[in-house]
Amino acid sequence: MQIRELSIPDSYEITPTQFPDDRGVFFEWYRFDRLAETIGHPLALAQGNSSVSKRGVVRGIHFADVPPSQAKYVTANRGAVLDFVIDIRVGSPTFGEWDSVLLDDVDRRAIYIAEGLGHCFVALTDDATVSYLVTSTFNAEREHGIDPTDPDVGLVFPEAAGDLLLSPKDTAAPGLHEAAASGLLPTWAAARAYYDSLNAKD
C-alpha cells in the first residue's frame, strides 16, 4: 500500500497493492495502522455509506461543522468517479484550492479526507458505486454544502462525465465566498486544534 499526500494538506491518496491470480484479485483497501502512522491517530469509524450513481452525477461539495466534522475514507467498488477534495478552511494557506483522485475498479485507489475539508465527486460511468467510511454519524443540522459549479472553486469536470446532474440541494448551495462571508465554513485554526486533540489522545 502506498500513501501519498495530496496538494491539499490533510488529504491523501491511497494505492493498494493488488495480488491477482487465476481466481481473481486480492488487496487491502483499508489499513487502520498504516493510515494512523500517516495522519497521527487511528480513525474512530462510526458509519459506512455507499452510493450508486449514473454517469454525470455530481455529489457535493459537502462538509460538516468542526468539531467533530467527519473524516472520510472513500473508494469506488464499481465503475469510476473523479473524487475532489476542496480546502474550505478559512485561513488555510490553500483555501479555495482543490485536488482530485481517480477512484475506479482498476487501480482501486482510495482517498482520505480530514475533518473540515470539502468533498465532491463526479461519476464517470453508469452504476458507479462508492463506499465511504466516516468518523461521525450523519447529523443533518451540522451538514452543509457549497455549489460544486461555483467558478470561484473552479472544479474541472472531465468530458467523460458527459452532462452533469446535480441534486436540487447541491444546486441551491451557496458559493465558496458567500459561505465564508456567512460564517458557514470551518476555520483553519479550528481544524488544526481538532486534529491536535485527536493526535493527543494517542
Side-chain angles (χ1 to χ4, degrees):
M1 177 178 286
Q2 296 180 344
I3 301 179
R4 177 180 69 89
E5 187 167 21
L6 300 174
S7 64
I8 303 303
D10 310 303
S11 64
Y12 295 86
E13 172 195 85
I14 299 94
T15 303
T17 301
Q18 301 188 59
F19 300 93
D21 60 24
D22 57 0
R23 300 168 298 169
V25 64
F26 175 86
F27 62 99
E28 297 174 341
W29 71 276
Y30 172 69
R31 278 281 299 267
F32 85 98
D33 53 342
R34 293 290 307 280
L35 187 63
E37 290 172 4
T38 302
I39 67 174
H41 61 273
L43 295 189
L45 297 176
Q47 187 171 317
N49 304 322
S50 291
S51 65
V52 181
S53 304
K54 63 183 180 180
R55 178 173 174 255
V57 165
V58 178
R59 297 184 186 268
I61 302 168
H62 298 151
F63 65 98
D65 292 337
V66 178
S69 190
Q70 190 182 68
K72 299 176 181 179
Y73 191 94
V74 185
T75 193
N77 304 110
R78 179 180 181 183
V81 304
L82 187 62
D83 199 283
F84 299 94
V85 55
I86 303 95
D87 197 341
I88 58 170
R89 299 168 297 187
V90 176
S92 167
T94 55
F95 176 74
E97 298 179 18
W98 56 271
D99 204 345
S100 63
V101 174
L102 176 65
L103 306 180
D104 61 21
D105 54 14
V106 178
D107 293 320
R108 307 181 195 278
R109 292 187 181 95
I111 184 172
Y112 169 76
I113 300 169
E115 297 88 348
L117 293 171
H119 178 238
C120 176
F121 71 77
V122 59
L124 306 181
T125 62
D126 284 328
D127 296 323
T129 304
V130 173
S131 292
Y132 321 62
L133 301 176
V134 298
T135 57
S136 297
T137 56
F138 177 75
N139 183 335
E141 293 182 357
R142 301 180 64 84
E143 298 282 336
H144 309 288
I146 294 170
D147 180 359
T149 63
D150 178 13
D152 288 327
V153 177
L155 297 183
V156 178
F157 298 104
E159 292 184 6
D163 295 332
L164 301 182
L165 176 61
L166 284 68
S167 72
K169 179 180 177 181
D170 288 343
T171 302
L176 179 69
H177 294 297
E178 180 184 353
S182 69
L184 190 64
L185 300 183
T187 66
W188 173 248
R192 301 312 310 174
Y194 186 65
Y195 306 154
D196 289 343
S197 73
L198 294 174
N199 295 343
K201 292 179 182 179
D202 301 292

